[in-house]
């Protein structure tokens, strides 16, 4: 099949008229002499001129966060902090449409998706962790001593300090608040570095923090890139006590090296090459619907998304045909159109990467079941970063298409015969984030879920998230777990107090 080359993007040139997006430092919005352009992934329009933080501005943000630890924020009781975080969640909900518009403008994702997932979860992340902190006890041990008087031990949770929060672009508000919610609930202060692709909702949250009455310096945002820019300035800053990161595995490794200076803890949520495992006894329609969603939701830009589909042989041809029909029924279009099922990729740069895999699959001899190129879009959308939802067969587990994270709307579908075989093949991968198992056999479901080397295993579902449960990746997909009480492990120092009676 022919790979259609993307047209050279006809982008608006930089204009001083595009609205600015500024840093939020010490409770105030501040710009920078240096700015970069943010283009719409939908039509290539210039939508914002984003301030790029200098080292001095990152330093100012870290100092503001440090000062806030020792200011009114540090003196609040848990109940008072919880009340403020509830006010932040309410503030997001009150300005729901503003957050929705900002998120959709930055990412190009369908508004229907952001309305149901990104923005409500952004608000929920503050409430859930406020509740966790309010309700989770610490431990207590009574011990005997040789003199018979005894001693008491009890544990106290204390904030770690200033947390550096480095975020990706695929679910910007959701993933940022997934870190900021628990960090603040535990009494820390934060400096957030949103992705350069999606600066707007993090900035908007600054306004909500101010109107909710969160003291200045508690929540700070610095914009910019990774190496040689705000990401590096933040993660190498000695005033940052811990770093929490979501993004690519390679970036996570660089951040881990930066964090080694000063022996600072890291929590890393990184890439995946997630498998769906479809057994012949599954509920066929549910497995097709769930697999389509897991391959194509958010244009395939979900860390938990499926890029390898293993289908038991008796079902293979029928399943591939059903996936093909589903992919071809996917409507690509403007985010605001309720009929739109899939938006564009985040940027032309990312599209170049995804298309390089589309080409590689063909060079390696894959059968292109559907897609494989750039769709024909109406002229007003032609400068967007569109790609076709794509399915391949005919390649094995050793091909880069089966091994490397592509992060696009695409999957390689492969047949398997036995449970033992599929387990071996799924686990033979450097990543270990998530899996979706489709079967009607409960015994098999338990066995396979237990044996697959991942942080999150779904049975007969995908992306069903209870925020109290542990979230994170095995192998090169992550270090640490967040969610519910697990977030407390990272965002607090647990201190034992021993009292001799
Ligand atoms: P990325 O690693 O390119 O960038 C993430 C963030 O790190 C950005 O803010 C970027 O500016 C910053 N950064 C880049 N280099 C840096 C450096 N050297 N020092 C400090 N900061 C640096 O990731 P992305 O392209 O934004 O996001 C997509 C990736 O995120 C995919 O690999 C996806 O699987 C992963 N992801 C993982 C999860 C998870 O929960 N495991 C969730 C969402 C996305």
């Amino acid at each position: 099949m022919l790979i259609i080359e993307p047209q050279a993007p006809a982008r608006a040139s930089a204009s001083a008229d595009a609205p600015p997006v500024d840093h939020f430092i010490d409770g105030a919005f501040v710009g920078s002499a240096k700015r970069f352009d943010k283009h719409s992934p939908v039509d290539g329009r210039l939508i914002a001129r984003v301030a790029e933080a200098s080292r001095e501005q990152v330093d100012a943000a870290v100092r503001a966060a440090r000062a806030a630890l020792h200011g009114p924020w540090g003196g609040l009781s848990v109940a008072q902090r919880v009340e403020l975080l509830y006010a932040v969640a309410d503030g997001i909900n009150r300005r729901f449409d503003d957050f929705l518009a900002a998120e959709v403008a930055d990412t190009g994702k369908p508004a229907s998706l952001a309305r149901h997932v990104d923005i409500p979860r952004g608000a929920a992340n503050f409430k859930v962790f406020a509740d966790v902190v309010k309700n989770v006890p610490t431990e207590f041990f009574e011990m005997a001593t040789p003199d018979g008087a005894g001693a008491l031990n009890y544990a106290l949770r204390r904030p770690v300090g200033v947390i550096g929060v480095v975020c990706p672009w695929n679910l910007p508000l959701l993933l940022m608040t997934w870190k900021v919610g628990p960090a603040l609930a535990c009494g820390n202060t934060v400096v957030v570095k949103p992705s350069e692709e999606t600066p707007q909702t993090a900035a908007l949250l600054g306004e909500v923090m101010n109107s909710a009455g969160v003291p200045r310096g508690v929540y700070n945002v610095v914009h910019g890139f990774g190496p040689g820019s705000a990401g590096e300035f933040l993660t190498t800053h000695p005033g940052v006590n811990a770093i929490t990161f979501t993004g690519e595995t390679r970036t996570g490794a660089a951040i881990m090296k930066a964090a080694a200076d000063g022996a600072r803890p890291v929590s890393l949520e990184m890439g995946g090459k997630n498998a769906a495992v479809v057994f012949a006894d599954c509920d066929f329609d549910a497995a097709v619907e769930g697999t389509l969603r897991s391959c194509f939701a958010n244009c395939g830009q979900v860390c938990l998304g499926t890029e390898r589909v293993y289908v038991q042989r008796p079902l293979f041809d029928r399943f591939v045909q059903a996936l093909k029909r589903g992919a071809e029924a996917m409507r690509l279009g403007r985010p605001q159109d309720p009929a739109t099922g899939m938006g564009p990729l985040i940027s032309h740069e990312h599209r170049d990467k995804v298309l390089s895999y589309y080409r590689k699959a063909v060079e390696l001899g894959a059968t292109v079941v559907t897609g494989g190129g750039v769709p024909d879009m109406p002229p007003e959308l032609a400068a967007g970063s569109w790609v076709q939802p794509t399915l391949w067969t005919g390649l094995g587990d050793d091909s880069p298409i089966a091994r490397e994270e592509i992060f696009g709307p695409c999957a390689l579908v492969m047949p398997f015969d036995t449970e033992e075989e599929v387990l071996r093949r799924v686990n033979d991968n450097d990543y270990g984030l998530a899996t979706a198992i489709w079967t009607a056999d409960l015994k098999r479901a338990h066995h396979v879920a237990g044996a697959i080397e991942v942080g999150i295993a779904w049975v007969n579902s995908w992306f069903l998230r209870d925020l109290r449960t542990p979230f994170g990746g095995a192998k090169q997909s992550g270090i640490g777990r967040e969610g519910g009480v697990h977030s407390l492990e990272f965002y607090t120092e647990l201190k034992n107090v021993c009292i001799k009676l």
Side-chain angles (χ1 to χ4, degrees):
M1 171 172 278
L2 186 71
I3 299 280
I4 306 163
E5 293 296 334
Q7 300 161 356
R11 281 177 160 177
S13 59
S15 133
D17 297 340
V21 177
D22 287 338
H23 317 294
F24 184 70
I25 299 174
D26 206 15
F29 285 95
V30 287
S32 286
K34 208 166 157 193
R35 288 189 179 266
F36 60 93
D37 292 347
K38 164 63 193 169
H39 290 271
S40 162
V42 174
D43 56 15
R45 246 175 340 111
L46 179 72
I47 56 172
R49 299 267 300 138
V50 188
E52 183 179 351
S54 61
R55 198 182 280 280
E56 291 68 33
Q57 285 180 310
V58 172
D59 182 54
V62 173
R63 278 188 287 111
R66 171 78 42 207
L69 279 174
H70 307 296
W73 177 248
L76 296 184
S77 67
V78 169
Q80 288 168 319
R81 263 198 333 253
V82 162
E83 210 169 297
L84 276 179
L85 295 186
Y86 263 71
V88 171
D90 293 343
I92 294 174
N93 286 330
R94 245 195 313 279
R95 298 195 56 187
F96 194 96
D97 291 345
D98 296 339
F99 278 96
L100 184 65
E103 202 73 311
V104 165
D106 275 355
T107 59
K109 65 177 69 188
S112 55
L113 179 69
R115 183 176 290 113
H116 287 107
V117 178
D118 300 62
I119 314 304
R121 266 285 307 274
N125 284 335
F126 286 99
K127 288 200 170 158
V128 164
F129 290 105
D131 289 343
V132 168
V133 163
K134 195 166 62 176
N135 293 313
V136 171
T138 57
E139 61 198 36
F140 165 82
F141 290 101
E142 195 172 7
M143 71 186 284
T145 53
D147 65 1
L152 305 178
N153 291 278
Y154 62 90
L156 292 173
R157 287 198 182 277
R158 290 292 178 257
V160 174
V162 177
I163 311 285
V165 183
V166 182
C167 308
W169 44 257
N170 59 329
L171 297 155
L173 181 72
L174 186 159
L175 290 171
M176 185 263 286
T177 53
W178 174 245
K179 311 288 199 173
V180 171
L184 298 192
C186 292
N188 303 284
T189 58
V190 297
V191 180
V192 174
K193 210 298 277 172
S195 166
E196 52 274 33
E197 298 290 351
T198 52
Q200 296 201 63
T201 46
L204 197 51
L205 189 59
E207 293 180 21
V208 169
M209 291 283 171
N210 278 351
S211 43
V214 173
R216 66 191 177 92
V218 171
Y219 172 80
N220 304 275
V221 180
V222 289
H223 298 290
F225 303 84
S229 185
E232 181 185 319
F233 303 155
L234 180 62
T235 52
T236 55
H237 196 295
V240 170
N241 299 104
I243 302 164
T244 179
F245 164 78
T246 307
E248 280 187 30
T249 297
R250 220 181 13 214
T251 313
I255 286 179
M256 213 172 159
K257 283 186 189 138
D261 265 342
R264 294 164 305 153
V266 288
S267 171
L268 304 176
E269 290 176 354
M270 305 191 286
K273 188 70 186 179
N274 310 304
V277 183
V278 182
F279 287 95
D281 64 6
C282 70
D283 173 335
F284 185 85
D285 292 341
V288 169
E289 188 276 333
T291 305
L292 282 169
R293 226 163 20 91
S294 72
C295 293
F296 301 130
N298 210 32
C299 198
Q301 304 165 117
V302 180
C303 55
L304 307 163
T306 299
E307 289 191 355
R308 298 184 281 160
V309 184
Y310 293 87
V311 185
Q312 209 162 18
R313 205 173 298 273
L315 212 61
F316 186 75
D317 291 338
R318 202 175 138 221
F319 201 82
V320 170
Q321 286 312 307
L323 289 183
K324 173 177 156 65
R325 276 194 301 278
E328 289 173 357
M330 201 79 67
R331 283 273 297 271
L332 276 61
R334 284 207 177 271
Q336 293 78 12
D337 182 344
T340 296
M342 202 174 101
L345 291 170
I346 188 69
S347 64
H348 286 282
E349 292 69 27
H350 188 50
R351 181 170 70 171
D352 289 345
K353 176 189 161 185
V354 171
L355 287 177
S356 75
Y357 279 98
Y358 281 20
R359 274 192 293 275
K360 195 180 284 185
V362 173
E363 285 159 18
L364 292 168
T367 301
V368 181
V369 175
T370 187
V374 174
D376 257 341
M377 299 302 286
E380 66 275 16
L381 300 183
S385 328
W386 304 92
V387 285
Q388 290 177 319
T390 295
L391 296 166
W392 303 283
T393 56
L395 293 178
D397 299 295
D398 283 341
S399 95
I401 306 300
R403 303 201 74 80
E404 297 169 15
E405 184 185 50
I406 302 172
F407 219 52
C410 54
L412 173 63
V413 196
M414 294 171 280
F416 73 92
D417 291 298
T418 68
E419 191 176 309
E420 192 190 10
E421 170 207 339
V422 78
L423 270 174
R424 180 179 43 75
R425 291 173 59 190
V426 168
N427 285 340
D428 180 21
N429 195 277
D430 292 337
Y431 292 107
L433 187 52
T435 194
I437 303 155
W438 299 91
T439 177
D441 180 341
L442 197 56
K443 191 169 156 201
R444 165 183 280 157
H446 284 298
H447 176 243
V448 176
I452 286 189
E453 295 162 357
V454 290
I456 303 144
W458 278 289
V459 175
N460 296 328
S461 67
W462 177 76
F463 211 90
L464 190 55
R465 290 275 301 120
D466 182 325
L467 305 186
R468 295 168 299 183
T469 60
F471 180 93
K475 301 198 270 190
Q476 291 191 22
S477 289
I479 294 184
R481 293 291 180 272
E482 297 195 26
V485 293
H486 309 285
S487 291
L488 303 189
E489 298 308 317
F490 184 71
Y491 294 107
T492 60
E493 290 288 3
L494 195 56
K495 166 166 47 185
N496 187 63
V497 179
C498 177
I499 301 186
K500 173 76 171 55
L501 297 175

